[in-house]
Amino acid sequence: MFAATRNLPNSYIFRAIRKHWMTRGVLALIISLMFVFNSGCTSVGDYVRNGFKVGPNYQKPAAPVASEWIDSKSNVATKDLSDWWTEFKDPKLSSLIAEAYQQNLDLRSAGTRILAARAQRNIAAGNLFPQTQQAFGDHNRNQVSANAANPLPDRFFNDTAAGVNLSWELDFWGRFRRGVEAADADLDASIENYDDALVLLISEVASTYVQIRVAQQRLRYADESIGIQTTLANQAEGRLKGGIGRQIDVAQMRSNLTDTLALKEQLEVGLRLANNQLCVLLGTPVRNLLPELGEGDIPAAPPEAGVGMPADLLRRRPDLRRAERQVAAQSARIGIATANLYPRISIVGTLGYEAANFSDLFASQSFIGTIGPSLRWDVLNYGRLVNGIRVQDALFQTAAIDYQQAILRAGREVEDGVVLFLRSQSRTIQLTESAKEAKIAANEAVVLSKDVKFDLNTAFVTSNFMVSQQDKLALSRGDIAL
């Protein structure tokens, strides 16, 4: 892309040199070249190698990535799963992601920003051609003073003019081409921003869906525990009414039951909040999605995590690609600021017709025209201009450091996800066994509670423990999927 735009304006430059600088522009050309070749900001070799552009050519910053993951010998696959959600084999989840892709408003907003960046890029490319192309037309009725120093014989006269003004600043130092480079990189960054928004959207839809399924499973466990605790509370009250029970047993059982009922209320609130969040992600007004989703199990993840190699992060993560494109855009802005040190060389002209009477306006003798080179140079502003370069260079260094920090942060996020994924699997196996045994103990406590000799405090402990372990198990299963 850049090769085509790099060569285009130079042909215009050299034609302009041949036409206009053989006479009046020779001095301006000599001064300009002396300034370029003797300036501390660039050299003849750099200027030529850069395609007749001042400022640095962009090079991608070094990427601080590890050679392998810490748990690369565990259940970590190096496959690329761009459609990772299909690994859950959950049709509801896949349909929600497809719906969100079509309707999410944040994603549409990111798409419109691409359109704006594309238009800005086209504006920057348009500066390679004559920047001023204005047609004009005027008609004036004039009266001059009779007491002027040199009064005209006719104090009243008309003046009619029509024509075009043209001004073309030649891209001798690459200021406009650097602007195209920056705009191209900004456009790329906006595209990566869209991809990043899409990645986050899919992640949020899947995470919210998992939270809904986890909440549903926790509610099922809570209902099961409420049934057991209700039975035990009734047993304790029956003993107390029969004169063989203790108030402490009744209080413990009732406390246990009401605590689980409060947990159920909390879970139902969380389920509603997740439902509302999912509606926003789908780009629809908030409604009850639960009848559409129905009851379902927590999505089961495959035993292996597909994370690829550490270096794959630079290719797969759009947030890193966006950060790198922002570095490239800022590098081009250094060249734009550097070009401000040098004279602006333009070709300006006016072509048209002028006459006192409108009927004579387009006669051959009414033709007017002027064309020639123009030079503008901010010769006493070098402190301001040099500091402008320093500002852009500092912003470039900041963007490069931010890019490298983003890579480090991305590596940490993957490592965190991998260790949570692997350890959650081991933890879930242990919690599954613990919850199973806790349920056996709680069921046995219900049976034994019918015997008045059985200590209800044991039933209180076992039922309370079952609630805790089942809740932990549901959360742990959700952690694997998340």
Side-chain angles (χ1 to χ4, degrees), residues 32 104 130 154 181 196 284 325 332 349 372 404 419 423 435 477:
S32 301
N104 182 263
D154 188 358
E181 289 181 18
D196 188 42
T284 63
R325 290 287 80 201
Q404 294 173 330
V419 70
R423 296 300 181 266
R477 287 175 177 170

Side-chain angles (χ1 to χ4, degrees), residues 75-81 84 302 304-308 316 421:
N75 289 349
V76 178
T78 58
K79 53 186 177 180
D80 182 5
L81 294 175
W84 51 264
E304 288 187 340
V307 297
R316 294 176 58 183
F421 176 73

Side-chain angles (χ1 to χ4, degrees), residues 117-421:
R118 183 174 296 149
Q120 289 291 342
R121 190 268 172 199
N122 292 336
I123 292 173
N127 286 329
L128 294 171
F129 304 98
Q131 295 84 20
T132 301
Q133 307 171 54
Q134 297 175 339
F136 65 88
D138 300 297
H139 176 76
N140 301 303
R141 177 65 176 171
N142 302 282
Q143 176 181 347
V144 297
S145 172
N147 297 320
N150 295 298
L152 296 177
D154 188 358
R155 296 178 53 206
F156 303 94
F157 62 92
N158 296 329
D159 184 55
T160 304
V164 292
N165 289 324
L166 297 175
S167 175
W168 187 5
E169 181 183 336
L170 305 178
D171 196 24
F172 202 91
W173 317 113
R175 184 163 67 95
F176 296 127
R177 282 170 289 160
R178 291 297 189 192
V180 174
E181 289 181 18
D184 277 329
D186 284 335
L187 175 58
D188 292 340
S190 68
I191 294 173
E192 301 301 348
N193 184 67
Y194 176 87
D195 290 342
D196 188 42
L198 178 58
V199 168
L200 293 177
L201 171 64
I202 295 174
S203 175
E204 290 180 6
V205 170
S207 298
T208 306
Y209 177 77
V210 169
Q211 291 169 8
I212 288 175
R213 293 309 189 196
V214 169
Q216 289 177 331
Q217 182 62 61
R218 294 175 72 188
L219 282 168
R220 288 194 289 270
Y221 283 146
D223 287 334
E224 183 180 355
S225 300
I226 288 171
I228 293 176
Q229 292 171 352
T230 300
T231 300
L232 293 174
N234 292 336
Q235 291 284 358
E237 290 178 351
R239 289 189 186 188
L240 184 62
K241 291 178 181 178
I244 56 176
R246 299 179 299 176
Q247 185 63 43
I248 187 175
D249 292 331
V250 175
Q252 281 185 324
M253 294 304 176
R254 282 297 172 188
S255 175
N256 212 12
L257 175 60
T258 53
D259 183 66
T260 306
L261 289 171
L263 174 62
K264 181 180 179 180
E265 294 289 338
Q266 179 182 350
L267 294 176
E268 289 177 343
V269 170
L271 183 60
R272 176 62 64 84
L273 295 179
N275 171 89
N276 299 344
Q277 173 66 11
L278 186 56
C279 288
V280 174
L281 294 172
L282 297 177
T284 63
V286 175
R287 69 180 191 277
N288 187 8
L289 296 173
L290 298 182
E292 303 173 30
L293 299 178
E295 292 288 332
D297 295 328
I298 300 171
E304 288 187 340
V307 297
M309 297 298 293
D312 292 340
L313 288 177
L314 306 180
R315 175 179 56 85
R316 294 176 58 183
R317 288 190 54 143
D319 58 331
L320 300 185
R321 299 198 301 267
R322 177 185 61 204
E324 186 274 327
R325 290 287 80 201
Q326 290 171 341
V327 178
Q330 188 55 44
S331 174
R333 294 188 183 102
I334 298 176
I336 297 173
T338 304
N340 290 331
L341 286 173
Y342 308 128
R344 299 188 179 188
I345 304 167
S346 305
I347 299 174
V348 296
T350 300
L351 302 175
Y353 293 88
E354 185 176 16
N357 298 317
F358 184 79
S359 59
D360 299 329
L361 180 61
F362 296 105
S364 60
Q365 293 181 343
S366 300
F367 181 79
I368 60 173
T370 176
I371 187 170
S374 172
L375 185 142
R376 297 291 184 272
W377 198 350
D378 295 332
V379 293
L380 298 178
N381 292 308
Y382 291 113
R384 176 175 58 83
L385 298 177
V386 169
N387 280 292
I389 299 173
R390 291 170 180 166
V391 168
Q392 299 303 326
D393 183 68
L395 292 175
F396 168 77
Q397 296 181 48
T398 301
I401 294 171
D402 290 343
Y403 168 63
Q404 294 173 330
Q405 178 66 16
I407 295 174
L408 294 178
R409 188 165 52 247
R412 187 213 70 196
E413 290 172 354
V414 175
E415 289 285 8
D416 291 349
V418 168
V419 70
L420 288 172
F421 176 73

